[in-house]
Amino acid sequence: MATEARAARFTDEAPARAPWWERNLAWLLVAPTVIMFVLFAFIPSLTAIRYAFSRVRLTRAGITQEFIRFENFERAFDDPIVREAVGITLRWVGVVTLAEVGLGLLLALLMTQNIRWRALFTSLLIIPIIMPPVSVAIAWFFMYEINFGVFNYLLGEVGVSPVRWLSDVDYALYAMMAVDVWQATPFTFLLLYAGLLALPRDPYEAAAIDGATPWQIFRTVTLPLLAPILLVVTLLRVIDAARIFDKIWIMTQGGPGTSAYTMTLNIYIQGFRNLDFGYSSALSFLFQIVLIVIATVYVKRVMADYAAPRD
Amino acid sequence: MSDEDNGVSGSIPGAKLTRRGLLKQSAAVGAGAVAASRLGRAAAAPSPASQRYGRPRQGGGTLVMAFTSDDTAKIQPLLDDYSEANNVEIEVRQSPYDPLYTELNLNLSGGTGAYDVISMDDPWMPQFAGGEFIMNLDEMLAAAGAETADFVPELIALGDFPKGTGLRGIPWVGNVQVFAWRTDVLQELGLEVPKTWDEVLSHAQAITDAKQGEGLYGIGLRGVSGNAAATSFLPVLRGHGVDIFAADSWEPQLTTPEAMQAITTHLALAKLTPPGVETVTHAINGTNMYEGLTAMSADIWPDLLLQIFDPELSKVVGKVEVGGEPAQAGVEPLNMTGNWLLGIPEGSENAEQALDFILWFTAAEQQKRLLLEQNIPATRISVLEDPEAVEQLAFLPGLLAAGRNAFPRPRTNLYPQVEQIYGQYVAQAIAGQIDGEEAMTKSNDEIRALMVREGQLEE
């Protein structure tokens, strides 16, 4: 009887509750990230948005803000340096993204062939990506140096006059783009190489049986299969290229003249040299909006085609 | 570090040396007296601090300081000495130039009390002193019996901002822009030392024509956008008899005939520099001179002179002389300052100890050490005239003469923005993106718009 009673009591009782941390495990796991996001991204973003509509001054009483509606934005649209910076940034993004993705793809295709010392080449190709951008910029600055740089030395050896790599408005931006391409191409190469290795072999075998040429195989098999990875790599490079700052700042500080003034340089100068936090925030806000719009449209219009369920 | 923390006490048992106490004493000495002649006596006295105040100090605690990264390594031996002699721990927070300015602005405007001693470039004084971010030192200096007579008057005056309101900073780096020239080259070509900008231009042309084949160019200047291009252009502008702003208002003067002539001269000079002037920075301008690539430069600073006169580094030792900046006939020659000053932020809880450190650090003994051991130019006359120093550094009399002609950049808290505007357009003109007239017109318009926007000028 006693045993039955105990059994009855046991079945009548509600099941024992899991401890609070187990019940809220999902929240606990994401909490550090959420807290960090709120503290270091969300709150500063709100502050920046508020600043963008204000004239911000640093006074003895602390940071003072005077609400000026859209004045900072109107100033941005009227500012010739901003218009120039937008054009330079677009040119930078277009050229370096195209070069980095194109070269990365070429290298990845090359490495999938049976070439000698493939492992060695792959290791060597990774070196630029692990170097700090600041060190890279300083090293290239000296290589481009007009009097003592290695490039002009080599040109001199074959009888070519020294080139003003970083001080001629016609060359400087492209010379700095070359540095970015040198450093970022290994990134695109790695992702595309991994993508190529993961492609199914069947379509290649079928194409070979059908007698397709290497170009036909690349165009009709490799490229379509690799397209999703190619598009992701392109998006990542576009976003990263648009944020270029370190290399240009170190090599020419946006020069010669203002021929390499990108948006990020302009935002930095307004914010941290001129202490014009309101205007700098407005420029930053506009820049973020443009990047978000580009990324969203790209993801929705281009990448969505590859996200659809397959038959 | 508060007095309570470090147990600093006066000579009378139980009497603590507090800021309030010091202020009371200063009132007795004479409230409101300017500090124009006080720092020397205290400065000449040896460490430790107690001997200068005439009170025993027990030390202890921590002084938090802000210096540029470049300076920190150079001053470390002195910091160690002070720390040991006074039983004070010194914590230096170092940053490069731009981040230091931002960091100080944010901390000082917030009154965080994070720093006890800060090192400031003199163009920052309108922001920090004008905004009352840093303490007025007059009364504390009076209480300490400090005198300023030994400082180059034009340099100590940089700490008095707004002018006549009292010292808020004491100069420790005597940076003054000078005109430097190669005596051997001028002599070889039969040229006198140029006095006017017209002569500088004609000499630069003659030198470049004669020596370009040997890799020597007439002049060196900086063409990087912003501070660099602005700092090379300002002496040319002033040497033509006009400044960025009118003498009695914040009305920009860059479309005046004198300014147009100045930019024409400057752009002509830029064509007589070694190739790549568009990317020449402060350091490269110095390198070009000590490597023997340039025969003249109006944008040489003491740190570069120390390299130019360094036998281990320079190819032109004994061939360079320095002096005042050129000026057109009838225009008063001026040398631009770029001094660094020490100040005490409002909110510091260790003001007495901070002042004690500043007095010790800017004393002649320490200034001489910094000059001879660390290549930091002095701000005291006695050090610049010191026979031992002059024997080692032959340019010191020229530097002192330049210091006596010293004139700061326009003293507005908006100067960083002003400099960015005209430095940007001058750099564009040097790079050939726009012409000189457009550079001056655009600079004038934008600087004017800035001054109007900030309420310093009516539309």
Side-chain angles (χ1 to χ4, degrees):
Chain A
M1 285 297 288
T3 308
E4 285 172 3
R6 272 200 304 274
R9 198 162 58 242
F10 181 76
T11 51
D12 286 346
E13 281 176 355
R17 294 191 73 191
W20 70 269
W21 58 266
E22 200 172 312
R23 277 181 277 126
N24 297 295
L25 188 60
W27 284 111
L28 285 174
L29 289 174
V30 298
T33 306
V34 170
I35 291 168
M36 297 279 273
F37 175 78
V38 169
L39 285 179
F40 298 114
F42 186 67
I43 293 173
S45 296
L46 288 183
T47 308
I49 291 170
R50 204 170 65 234
Y51 280 3
F53 295 92
S54 310
R55 181 167 295 127
V56 182
R57 290 195 178 96
L58 295 170
T59 68
R60 182 72 190 89
I63 297 175
T64 62
Q65 298 169 57
E66 177 194 349
F67 181 65
I68 54 170
R69 300 161 65 91
F70 293 97
E71 201 176 294
N72 285 326
F73 294 95
E74 289 166 10
R75 195 176 143 202
F77 287 115
D78 288 340
D79 191 338
I81 295 292
V82 170
R83 284 200 293 274
E84 189 184 353
V86 169
I88 291 165
T89 306
L90 288 175
R91 202 169 359 142
W92 178 281
V93 170
V95 174
V96 301
T97 304
L98 207 63
E100 286 161 7
V101 175
L103 280 174
L105 181 60
L106 272 177
L107 286 169
L109 288 169
L110 190 67
M111 289 299 155
T112 54
Q113 308 303 307
N114 283 326
I115 59 167
R116 291 182 70 187
W117 300 321
R118 187 170 55 184
L120 176 69
F121 283 133
T122 309
S123 301
L124 288 175
L125 279 171
I126 294 170
I127 290 175
I129 205 174
I130 59 176
M131 293 176 73
V134 172
S135 310
V136 169
I138 293 171
W140 279 80
F141 174 82
F142 285 112
M143 291 199 289
Y144 279 138
E145 213 282 325
I146 191 163
N147 297 308
F148 317 108
V150 67
F151 292 129
N152 278 347
Y153 169 77
L154 294 173
L155 288 177
E157 289 293 295
V158 294
V160 178
S161 302
V163 176
R164 294 161 58 215
W165 298 104
L166 295 177
S167 55
D168 189 316
V169 287
D170 294 330
Y171 300 142
L173 189 66
Y174 297 101
M176 289 185 280
M177 284 177 180
V179 182
D180 198 67
V181 170
W182 178 81
Q183 185 165 39
T185 297
F187 171 78
T188 60
F189 155 72
L190 273 181
L191 292 187
L192 294 172
Y193 183 46
L196 281 173
L197 293 179
L199 293 184
R201 305 313 305 164
D202 301 358
Y204 287 94
E205 287 163 8
I209 291 167
D210 290 345
T213 63
W215 170 246
Q216 285 172 324
I217 292 174
F218 173 73
R219 196 168 51 83
T220 59
V221 179
T222 306
L223 217 47
L225 289 174
L226 196 62
I229 296 171
L230 208 51
L231 293 172
V232 170
V233 170
T234 304
L235 179 63
L236 291 175
R237 285 313 308 150
V238 164
I239 292 171
D240 199 44
R243 294 182 302 154
I244 180 68
F245 176 80
D246 39 24
K247 294 186 181 80
I248 293 179
W249 185 251
I250 286 166
M251 285 196 274
T252 68
Q253 293 188 31
T258 53
S259 63
Y261 256 44
T262 57
M263 276 302 287
T264 47
L265 248 75
N266 205 18
I267 291 167
Y268 172 81
I269 287 169
Q270 294 299 341
F272 297 102
R273 269 204 177 162
N274 296 349
L275 297 179
D276 196 346
F277 294 122
Y279 187 45
S280 178
S281 297
L283 291 176
S284 189
F285 186 64
L286 287 172
F287 183 61
Q288 292 293 333
I289 294 284
V290 169
L291 277 188
I292 289 169
V293 168
I294 290 173
T296 307
V297 169
Y298 186 84
V299 168
K300 285 201 167 178
R301 291 285 170 85
V302 183
M303 291 178 64
D305 293 346
Y306 297 92
R310 294 181 181 185
D311 292 334
Chain B
M1 184 189 72
S2 65
D3 287 344
E4 287 73 22
D5 293 331
N6 63 23
V8 174
S9 60
S11 55
I12 303 167
K16 286 194 169 184
L17 177 65
T18 62
R19 188 180 174 209
R20 181 174 293 177
L22 276 170
L23 294 177
K24 280 181 182 171
Q25 289 176 41
S26 70
V29 171
V34 276
S37 59
R38 291 181 209 141
L39 204 50
R41 190 157 19 110
S47 184
S50 55
Q51 291 170 274
R52 284 195 301 286
Y53 282 123
R55 294 162 178 267
R57 281 169 90 83
Q58 294 175 10
T62 304
L63 276 181
V64 182
M65 305 184 183
F67 282 90
T68 64
S69 313
D70 288 343
D71 288 335
T72 304
K74 294 178 180 175
I75 63 172
Q76 194 59 53
L78 272 76
L79 299 184
D80 292 342
D81 287 354
Y82 181 83
S83 178
E84 193 179 330
N86 293 279
N87 188 27
V88 171
E89 191 179 326
I90 293 178
E91 183 184 330
V92 178
R93 296 184 188 161
Q94 50 178 309
S95 309
Y97 185 90
D98 281 342
L100 178 66
Y101 182 52
T102 311
E103 158 88 2
L104 289 178
N105 264 291
L106 292 174
N107 264 290
L108 270 52
S109 64
T112 61
Y115 296 109
D116 301 309
V117 177
I118 59 168
S119 179
M120 305 165 284
D121 196 2
D122 74 60
W124 301 352
M125 287 302 284
Q127 171 75 359
F128 293 159
E132 299 186 347
F133 291 3
I134 49 178
M135 289 182 186
N136 188 329
L137 305 176
D138 271 4
E139 292 176 351
M140 293 166 71
L141 289 172
E147 291 182 2
T148 59
D150 188 31
F151 285 90
V152 179
E154 289 74 11
L155 304 188
I156 190 77
L158 295 169
D160 178 17
F161 189 90
K163 199 173 179 183
T165 60
L167 272 186
R168 289 178 184 268
I170 301 199
W172 71 280
V173 180
N175 257 347
V176 181
Q177 190 183 39
V178 296
F179 181 68
W181 64 89
R182 285 274 299 276
T183 51
D184 59 327
V185 176
L186 294 188
Q187 202 171 10
E188 184 187 335
L189 297 178
L191 301 169
E192 294 289 321
V193 177
K195 294 276 185 280
T196 66
W197 283 102
D198 292 340
E199 288 172 4
V200 172
L201 182 56
S202 64
H203 284 24
Q205 186 68 62
I207 294 165
T208 306
D209 289 346
K211 297 283 183 181
Q212 189 174 355
E214 301 168 29
L216 177 66
Y217 293 81
I219 192 131
L221 56 90
R222 295 186 267 169
V224 174
S225 177
N227 166 275
T231 307
S232 271
F233 175 61
L234 192 53
V236 187
L237 182 73
R238 286 176 164 174
H240 281 76
V242 66
D243 210 327
I244 302 290
F245 296 104
D248 53 357
S249 75
W250 293 116
E251 188 68 52
Q253 301 293 301
L254 294 175
T255 49
T256 56
E258 293 88 350
M260 291 299 176
Q261 185 54 49
I263 190 71
T264 304
T265 303
H266 192 63
L267 295 179
L269 286 170
K271 295 187 190 308
L272 303 171
T273 60
V277 64
E278 297 86 351
T279 50
V280 169
T281 56
H282 173 83
I284 296 174
N285 195 38
T287 308
N288 283 346
M289 182 148 250
Y290 73 65
E291 285 283 345
L293 297 179
T294 52
M296 300 183 290
S297 179
D299 191 11
I300 294 294
W301 295 82
D303 62 316
L304 303 179
L305 285 177
L306 290 157
Q307 295 177 330
I308 291 165
F309 281 72
D310 183 351
E312 291 182 6
L313 197 63
S314 174
K315 294 177 179 173
V316 294
V317 175
K319 298 175 181 174
V320 173
E321 281 186 14
V322 302
E325 293 285 1
Q328 298 293 73
V331 176
E332 185 189 356
L334 299 171
N335 291 72
M336 191 196 310
T337 58
N339 276 218
W340 284 82
L341 300 98
L342 295 178
I344 304 173
E346 290 285 358
S348 164
E349 294 180 357
N350 309 300
E352 298 81 23
Q353 192 77 52
L355 181 70
D356 183 77
F357 168 80
I358 292 173
L359 295 179
W360 178 84
F361 194 73
T362 55
E365 187 185 340
Q366 278 63 249
Q367 288 256 299
K368 188 175 171 183
R369 269 184 74 185
L370 286 171
L371 176 66
L372 297 182
E373 295 172 15
Q374 303 297 338
N375 292 345
I376 292 178
T379 51
R380 283 180 174 272
I381 296 168
S382 63
V383 178
L384 292 167
E385 289 179 337
D386 183 275
E388 185 190 352
V390 173
E391 192 182 335
Q392 282 189 40
L393 303 164
F395 62 83
L396 289 183
L399 188 60
L400 178 56
R404 292 187 190 282
N405 277 339
F407 197 72
R409 284 162 263 203
R411 306 211 90 191
T412 161
N413 62 335
L414 297 172
Y415 187 70
Q417 295 181 56
V418 170
E419 180 181 70
Q420 182 61 35
I421 292 169
Y422 79 90
Q424 182 177 285
Y425 287 118
V426 169
Q428 280 192 343
I430 290 174
Q433 292 178 286
I434 56 176
D435 62 30
E437 187 179 343
E438 191 179 352
M440 290 296 97
T441 307
K442 283 185 167 177
S443 298
N444 205 78
D445 291 349
E446 284 193 28
I447 291 171
R448 194 170 200 290
L450 169 71
M451 303 314 277
V452 170
R453 194 166 59 241
E454 295 296 330
Q456 301 204 8
L457 200 62
E458 286 185 9
E459 200 152 1

Coordinates of all heavy atoms in Angstrom, one line a residue, chain B residues 354-383:
Chain B
A354 N 51.6 67.7 -9.7 CA 51.7 67.9 -11.1 C 52.5 69.2 -11.4 O 53.4 69.2 -12.2 CB 50.4 68.0 -11.7
L355 N 52.2 70.3 -10.6 CA 53.0 71.5 -10.8 C 54.4 71.3 -10.5 O 55.4 71.8 -11.1 CB 52.4 72.7 -10.0 CG 53.1 74.0 -10.2 CD1 52.8 74.6 -11.6 CD2 52.7 75.0 -9.1
D356 N 54.6 70.6 -9.4 CA 56.0 70.3 -9.0 C 56.8 69.6 -10.1 O 57.9 69.9 -10.4 CB 56.0 69.5 -7.7 CG 57.4 69.2 -7.2 OD1 57.9 70.1 -6.6 OD2 58.0 68.1 -7.4
F357 N 56.1 68.6 -10.7 CA 56.8 67.9 -11.8 C 57.1 68.9 -12.9 O 58.2 68.9 -13.5 CB 55.9 66.8 -12.3 CG 56.4 66.2 -13.6 CD1 57.4 65.3 -13.6 CD2 55.8 66.6 -14.8 CE1 57.9 64.8 -14.8 CE2 56.3 66.1 -16.0 CZ 57.4 65.2 -16.0
I358 N 56.1 69.7 -13.3 CA 56.3 70.6 -14.4 C 57.5 71.6 -14.2 O 58.3 71.8 -15.0 CB 55.0 71.4 -14.7 CG1 53.9 70.4 -15.3 CG2 55.2 72.5 -15.7 CD1 52.5 71.1 -15.4
L359 N 57.5 72.1 -12.9 CA 58.6 73.0 -12.6 C 60.0 72.3 -12.7 O 61.0 72.9 -13.2 CB 58.4 73.6 -11.2 CG 57.2 74.5 -11.0 CD1 57.1 74.9 -9.6 CD2 57.2 75.7 -11.9
W360 N 60.0 71.1 -12.2 CA 61.3 70.3 -12.3 C 61.6 70.0 -13.7 O 62.8 70.2 -14.1 CB 61.1 69.0 -11.5 CG 62.3 68.1 -11.5 CD1 63.4 68.2 -10.7 CD2 62.5 67.0 -12.4 NE1 64.3 67.3 -11.0 CE2 63.8 66.5 -12.1 CE3 61.8 66.5 -13.4 CZ2 64.3 65.4 -12.7 CZ3 62.3 65.4 -14.1 CH2 63.6 64.9 -13.7
F361 N 60.6 69.6 -14.5 CA 60.9 69.1 -15.8 C 61.3 70.2 -16.8 O 62.0 70.0 -17.7 CB 59.6 68.5 -16.3 CG 59.7 67.6 -17.6 CD1 60.3 66.4 -17.6 CD2 59.2 68.1 -18.8 CE1 60.5 65.6 -18.7 CE2 59.4 67.3 -20.0 CZ 60.0 66.1 -19.9
T362 N 60.8 71.4 -16.5 CA 61.1 72.6 -17.4 C 62.3 73.4 -16.8 O 62.6 74.5 -17.4 CB 59.9 73.5 -17.6 OG1 59.4 73.9 -16.3 CG2 58.8 72.8 -18.4
A363 N 62.9 72.9 -15.7 CA 64.1 73.6 -15.2 C 65.2 73.5 -16.2 O 65.3 72.6 -17.0 CB 64.4 73.0 -13.8
A364 N 66.2 74.5 -16.0 CA 67.3 74.5 -17.0 C 68.1 73.2 -17.0 O 68.5 72.8 -18.1 CB 68.2 75.7 -16.6
E365 N 68.3 72.6 -15.9 CA 69.1 71.4 -15.8 C 68.4 70.3 -16.7 O 69.1 69.6 -17.5 CB 69.1 70.9 -14.4 CG 70.1 69.7 -14.1 CD 70.0 69.3 -12.7 OE1 69.6 70.0 -11.8 OE2 70.4 68.1 -12.5
Q366 N 67.1 70.1 -16.5 CA 66.4 69.1 -17.3 C 66.3 69.5 -18.8 O 66.4 68.6 -19.7 CB 65.1 68.8 -16.7 CG 65.0 67.9 -15.5 CD 65.8 68.5 -14.4 OE1 66.8 68.0 -14.0 NE2 65.3 69.6 -13.8
Q367 N 66.1 70.8 -19.0 CA 66.1 71.2 -20.4 C 67.4 70.9 -21.2 O 67.4 70.5 -22.3 CB 65.8 72.7 -20.5 CG 64.4 73.1 -20.1 CD 63.5 73.4 -21.3 OE1 63.9 74.4 -22.0 NE2 62.5 72.7 -21.5
K368 N 68.5 71.1 -20.5 CA 69.8 70.9 -21.1 C 70.0 69.4 -21.3 O 70.5 69.0 -22.4 CB 70.9 71.4 -20.2 CG 72.3 71.4 -20.8 CD 73.3 72.0 -19.9 CE 74.7 71.8 -20.4 NZ 75.7 72.4 -19.5
R369 N 69.6 68.6 -20.4 CA 69.6 67.1 -20.6 C 68.8 66.7 -21.8 O 69.3 65.9 -22.6 CB 69.1 66.4 -19.3 CG 70.1 66.1 -18.3 CD 69.5 65.3 -17.2 NE 69.2 63.9 -17.6 CZ 68.6 63.0 -16.8 NH1 68.2 63.4 -15.6 NH2 68.4 61.8 -17.1
L370 N 67.6 67.2 -21.9 CA 66.7 66.9 -23.0 C 67.4 67.3 -24.3 O 67.3 66.6 -25.3 CB 65.3 67.5 -22.8 CG 64.4 66.9 -21.8 CD1 63.2 67.8 -21.5 CD2 64.0 65.5 -22.2
L371 N 68.0 68.5 -24.3 CA 68.6 69.0 -25.5 C 69.8 68.1 -26.0 O 69.9 67.7 -27.1 CB 69.0 70.4 -25.3 CG 69.8 71.1 -26.5 CD1 68.9 71.2 -27.7 CD2 70.3 72.5 -26.1
L372 N 70.7 67.9 -25.0 CA 71.9 67.2 -25.4 C 71.8 65.7 -25.5 O 72.5 65.1 -26.3 CB 73.0 67.5 -24.3 CG 73.4 69.0 -24.3 CD1 74.5 69.2 -23.2 CD2 73.8 69.6 -25.6
E373 N 70.9 65.1 -24.7 CA 70.8 63.7 -24.7 C 69.7 63.2 -25.6 O 69.7 62.1 -26.2 CB 70.6 63.1 -23.3 CG 71.7 63.4 -22.4 CD 71.4 63.0 -20.9 OE1 70.4 62.3 -20.7 OE2 72.2 63.5 -20.0
Q374 N 68.6 64.0 -25.7 CA 67.4 63.5 -26.5 C 67.0 64.3 -27.6 O 66.0 64.1 -28.2 CB 66.3 63.4 -25.5 CG 66.5 62.5 -24.3 CD 66.8 61.0 -24.6 OE1 66.4 60.6 -25.7 NE2 67.5 60.3 -23.8
N375 N 67.8 65.3 -28.0 CA 67.6 66.2 -29.1 C 66.2 66.9 -29.0 O 65.5 67.1 -30.1 CB 67.6 65.3 -30.4 CG 69.0 64.9 -30.7 OD1 69.9 65.4 -30.2 ND2 69.1 63.9 -31.6
I376 N 65.8 67.3 -27.8 CA 64.6 68.1 -27.7 C 65.0 69.5 -27.5 O 65.7 69.9 -26.5 CB 63.8 67.5 -26.5 CG1 63.2 66.1 -26.9 CG2 62.6 68.5 -26.2 CD1 62.4 65.5 -25.8
P377 N 64.6 70.4 -28.4 CA 65.0 71.8 -28.3 C 64.5 72.5 -27.0 O 63.3 72.3 -26.6 CB 64.4 72.5 -29.5 CG 63.4 71.6 -30.0 CD 63.7 70.2 -29.5
A378 N 65.3 73.3 -26.4 CA 65.0 74.0 -25.2 C 64.1 75.2 -25.4 O 64.0 75.8 -26.5 CB 66.3 74.4 -24.4
T379 N 63.5 75.7 -24.3 CA 62.7 76.9 -24.3 C 63.3 78.0 -23.4 O 62.8 79.1 -23.4 CB 61.3 76.6 -23.8 OG1 61.3 75.9 -22.6 CG2 60.5 75.7 -24.8
R380 N 64.4 77.6 -22.8 CA 65.0 78.6 -21.9 C 66.2 79.3 -22.5 O 67.0 78.6 -23.2 CB 65.5 77.9 -20.6 CG 64.4 77.6 -19.6 CD 64.9 76.9 -18.4 NE 63.9 76.7 -17.4 CZ 63.6 77.6 -16.4 NH1 64.3 78.7 -16.4 NH2 62.7 77.3 -15.6
I381 N 66.3 80.6 -22.3 CA 67.5 81.3 -22.9 C 68.8 80.8 -22.4 O 69.7 80.6 -23.2 CB 67.3 82.8 -22.5 CG1 66.0 83.4 -23.2 CG2 68.5 83.6 -23.0 CD1 65.6 84.8 -22.6
S382 N 68.8 80.5 -21.1 CA 70.1 80.1 -20.5 C 70.6 78.8 -21.1 O 71.8 78.6 -21.3 CB 70.0 79.9 -19.0 OG 69.1 78.9 -18.7
V383 N 69.7 77.9 -21.5 CA 70.1 76.6 -22.1 C 70.5 76.9 -23.6 O 71.5 76.3 -24.1 CB 68.9 75.6 -22.0 CG1 69.3 74.3 -22.7 CG2 68.6 75.4 -20.6

